[in-house]
Amino acid sequence: MDERCFLIVRPADAARGCSPEPALHPECLPYAAAHCPMLNGTATHYRRSPLLATHPAGRPCTDPSCPCPSRSPDGGHAARSGSPADRYEAWLIHTRNYRPVFGPDRSDMPSGVSLDVHVLRRRVLRTAQLTAEQERLTGLVRGLLGGNL
C-alpha cells in the first residue's frame, strides 16, 4: 500500500471500534463501490442464509487447523440476517495508522482493523436502507415540510 488507504465502516463497526474489512487501496475503492452489491445499493437487505463453509479452493473445509478464513455464520451475521442494509462509509487514513485487531480466541489471526485512528476524509458510499415503517414516517414528515426533506 501507499501512504494512504480506505477503511469500509458501518455504524456498528464504529461503535465497536473495529472494522472487519481489510483496507482498500485508494485506486480500488471506486471499483469496490461500483461492483459490490452492498456498497452500491443494489442489495437492500443482508442475506438470510450465509455462504456455506468452503475452502478458498472451492471445496468444503473441515480441517480445524486449516488457516482458511471461516465462512460459517458469526454472531454479526445472525444479528443482521434479513435486516435492511446499513450505512457504509469509506474512511481515508494514513497506512502508518493501520492496526489489525486480534480477537481473544485467535491471537494469531486478525479479526479486523482498529478504527481508533485519525480520519483524513470520510465518504458516504451508501445510506442505510430504511424499513417500510421508516419510509412511511419519512413520507409523512416530507409532506409536512412541503417535500423539503
Side-chain angles (χ1 to χ4, degrees), residues 8-21:
I8 305 297
V9 182
R10 297 172 306 132
D13 302 332
R16 225 178 54 242
C18 171
S19 173
E21 302 293 334

Side-chain angles (χ1 to χ4, degrees), residues 55-119:
H55 190 274
R59 60 182 172 6
C61 185
T62 57
D63 180 2
S65 65
C66 179
C68 71
S70 172
R71 302 271 177 145
S72 58
D74 60 5
H77 177 81
R80 292 187 307 266
S81 180
S83 299
D86 288 319
R87 172 187 175 100
Y88 281 85
E89 295 181 350
W91 292 8
L92 182 68
I93 68 166
H94 281 284
T95 52
R96 69 175 173 262
N97 295 328
Y98 184 89
R99 290 187 311 273
V101 173
F102 297 87
D105 54 336
R106 292 281 317 256
S107 62
D108 61 330
M109 183 173 289
S111 59
V113 180
S114 174
L115 297 178
D116 185 21
V117 296
H118 174 72
V119 179

Side-chain angles (χ1 to χ4, degrees), residues 121-141:
R121 183 177 3 153
R122 292 173 198 248
R123 176 179 164 204
V124 175
L125 297 175
R126 78 162 296 158
T127 57
Q129 181 72 32
L130 299 179
T131 64
E133 178 64 8
Q134 290 169 328
E135 288 280 358
R136 187 185 73 76
L137 293 172
T138 301
L140 291 173
V141 171

Side-chain angles (χ1 to χ4, degrees), residues 6-8 21-42 88 90 123 125-126:
F6 278 102
L7 301 178
I8 305 297
E21 302 293 334
L24 282 170
H25 189 278
E27 292 178 8
C28 298
L29 179 65
Y31 178 84
H35 297 285
C36 173
M38 196 52 73
L39 298 181
N40 69 23
T42 57
Y88 281 85
R123 176 179 164 204
L125 297 175
R126 78 162 296 158

